Coordinates of all heavy atoms in Angstrom, one line a residue:
T9 N -124.9 18.3 -113.7 CA -124.3 17.9 -114.9 C -125.1 18.3 -116.2 O -124.7 17.9 -117.3 CB -124.1 16.4 -114.9 OG1 -125.4 15.8 -114.7 CG2 -123.2 15.9 -113.9
R34 N -118.2 54.8 -114.8 CA -118.8 55.4 -113.6 C -118.0 55.1 -112.3 O -118.3 55.7 -111.3 CB -120.2 55.0 -113.5 CG -121.1 55.5 -114.7 CD -122.4 54.8 -114.8 NE -123.3 55.3 -115.8 CZ -123.1 55.2 -117.1 NH1 -122.1 54.4 -117.5 NH2 -123.9 55.8 -118.0
I49 N -116.7 44.0 -109.1 CA -117.1 43.6 -110.5 C -116.1 42.6 -111.0 O -116.5 41.6 -111.6 CB -117.2 44.8 -111.4 CG1 -118.5 45.7 -111.0 CG2 -117.3 44.4 -112.9 CD1 -118.6 46.9 -111.8
T64 N -117.8 22.8 -117.0 CA -117.5 22.1 -118.3 C -116.5 21.0 -118.1 O -116.7 19.9 -118.6 CB -116.8 23.2 -119.2 OG1 -117.7 24.3 -119.4 CG2 -116.5 22.5 -120.6
V116 N -130.0 11.5 -122.2 CA -129.8 10.3 -123.0 C -131.1 10.1 -123.9 O -132.1 9.8 -123.3 CB -129.5 9.1 -122.2 CG1 -129.2 7.9 -123.1 CG2 -128.3 9.3 -121.3
D118 N -131.5 8.1 -126.7 CA -131.6 7.0 -127.6 C -132.0 5.7 -126.8 O -131.8 4.6 -127.3 CB -130.4 6.7 -128.4 CG -129.2 6.4 -127.5 OD1 -129.2 6.7 -126.3 OD2 -128.2 5.8 -128.0
Q121 N -137.9 3.3 -126.3 CA -139.2 4.0 -125.9 C -140.3 3.1 -125.9 O -140.5 2.3 -126.9 CB -139.5 5.2 -126.9 CG -138.4 6.2 -126.9 CD -138.1 6.9 -125.6 OE1 -139.1 7.4 -125.0 NE2 -136.9 7.0 -125.2
G128 N -138.5 -2.6 -121.1 CA -137.7 -2.4 -119.9 C -137.7 -1.0 -119.4 O -138.4 -0.1 -120.0
K158 N -145.9 -12.9 -115.4 CA -145.6 -14.3 -115.5 C -144.2 -14.6 -114.8 O -144.0 -15.7 -114.4 CB -145.5 -14.6 -117.0 CG -145.2 -16.1 -117.3 CD -145.4 -16.4 -118.7 CE -144.2 -15.9 -119.5 NZ -144.2 -16.4 -120.9
L167 N -125.7 -8.0 -114.0 CA -124.4 -7.6 -114.6 C -124.0 -6.2 -114.1 O -124.8 -5.3 -114.3 CB -124.4 -7.6 -116.1 CG -123.2 -7.0 -116.8 CD1 -122.0 -7.9 -116.5 CD2 -123.4 -7.0 -118.3
L180 N -121.7 5.1 -119.5 CA -122.1 3.8 -119.9 C -123.4 3.8 -120.7 O -123.7 2.9 -121.4 CB -122.3 2.9 -118.7 CG -121.0 2.5 -118.0 CD1 -121.2 2.1 -116.5 CD2 -120.2 1.4 -118.7
P187 N -127.1 -0.2 -121.8 CA -128.5 -0.8 -121.7 C -129.2 -0.9 -123.1 O -130.0 -1.8 -123.3 CB -129.2 0.1 -120.8 CG -128.4 1.4 -120.8 CD -127.0 1.0 -121.1
R208 N -119.8 3.9 -111.6 CA -118.4 4.4 -111.9 C -117.5 3.8 -110.8 O -117.9 3.5 -109.7 CB -118.3 5.9 -111.8 CG -118.8 6.5 -110.4 CD -118.7 7.9 -110.3 NE -119.1 8.4 -109.0 CZ -119.0 9.7 -108.6 NH1 -118.4 10.6 -109.4 NH2 -119.5 10.1 -107.4
V211 N -115.6 5.7 -106.4 CA -116.6 6.0 -105.4 C -116.1 7.1 -104.4 O -116.9 7.5 -103.5 CB -116.9 4.7 -104.6 CG1 -117.5 3.6 -105.5 CG2 -115.6 4.1 -104.0
G225 N -108.5 4.5 -95.8 CA -109.2 5.3 -96.8 C -110.4 4.5 -97.3 O -110.9 3.6 -96.6
Y276 N -118.9 -12.3 -107.5 CA -119.1 -12.3 -109.0 C -118.4 -13.6 -109.6 O -117.2 -13.8 -109.4 CB -118.4 -11.1 -109.6 CG -119.0 -9.8 -109.0 CD1 -118.3 -9.1 -108.0 CD2 -120.2 -9.2 -109.5 CE1 -118.9 -7.9 -107.4 CE2 -120.7 -8.1 -109.0 CZ -120.0 -7.4 -107.9 OH -120.6 -6.3 -107.4
Y286 N -103.6 -5.2 -115.5 CA -103.6 -6.4 -114.7 C -102.9 -6.2 -113.4 O -102.7 -7.1 -112.6 CB -102.8 -7.5 -115.5 CG -103.5 -7.7 -116.9 CD1 -102.9 -7.0 -118.0 CD2 -104.7 -8.4 -117.1 CE1 -103.5 -7.1 -119.3 CE2 -105.3 -8.4 -118.3 CZ -104.7 -7.8 -119.4 OH -105.3 -7.9 -120.6
L315 N -102.5 -15.2 -109.3 CA -102.8 -16.5 -109.9 C -101.7 -17.5 -109.7 O -102.0 -18.7 -109.7 CB -103.1 -16.3 -111.4 CG -104.5 -15.6 -111.7 CD1 -104.6 -15.3 -113.2 CD2 -105.6 -16.5 -111.3
V320 N -106.4 -20.8 -106.7 CA -107.0 -20.4 -108.0 C -108.5 -20.4 -107.7 O -109.1 -21.4 -107.3 CB -106.7 -21.4 -109.1 CG1 -107.5 -21.0 -110.4 CG2 -105.2 -21.3 -109.4
A352 N -104.4 -26.7 -115.6 CA -104.3 -27.4 -114.4 C -105.5 -27.2 -113.5 O -105.7 -28.0 -112.6 CB -103.0 -27.1 -113.7
D359 N -111.1 -16.7 -121.6 CA -111.2 -16.5 -123.1 C -110.7 -15.1 -123.5 O -110.6 -14.2 -122.6 CB -112.7 -16.7 -123.5 CG -113.2 -18.1 -123.2 OD1 -112.4 -19.0 -123.3 OD2 -114.4 -18.2 -122.7
P378 N -121.2 -5.8 -128.0 CA -122.2 -6.9 -128.2 C -121.6 -8.3 -127.9 O -122.3 -9.1 -127.2 CB -122.6 -6.7 -129.7 CG -122.3 -5.2 -130.0 CD -121.1 -4.9 -129.2
L381 N -121.1 -8.8 -124.1 CA -122.4 -9.0 -123.4 C -122.9 -10.4 -123.7 O -123.4 -11.1 -122.8 CB -123.4 -7.9 -123.7 CG -123.1 -6.5 -123.3 CD1 -124.2 -5.6 -123.7 CD2 -122.9 -6.4 -121.8
E382 N -122.8 -10.9 -124.9 CA -123.2 -12.2 -125.2 C -122.4 -13.2 -124.4 O -123.0 -14.2 -123.9 CB -123.1 -12.5 -126.7 CG -124.2 -11.8 -127.6 CD -124.1 -12.3 -129.0 OE1 -124.3 -13.6 -129.2 OE2 -123.9 -11.5 -129.9
R397 N -144.2 -17.5 -102.4 CA -145.6 -17.2 -102.7 C -146.2 -16.4 -101.6 O -145.8 -16.5 -100.5 CB -146.4 -18.5 -102.9 CG -146.0 -19.3 -104.1 CD -147.0 -20.5 -104.3 NE -146.6 -21.3 -105.4 CZ -147.0 -21.0 -106.6 NH1 -147.7 -20.0 -106.9 NH2 -146.6 -21.8 -107.6

Side-chain angles (χ1 to χ4, degrees):
T9 56
R34 293 163 176 77
I49 288 177
T64 303
V116 182
D118 62 341
Q121 300 298 312
K158 187 171 70 172
L167 174 59
L180 290 158
R208 59 177 179 173
V211 296
Y276 301 98
Y286 308 97
L315 287 172
V320 176
D359 297 322
L381 292 180
E382 284 190 62
R397 291 187 182 276

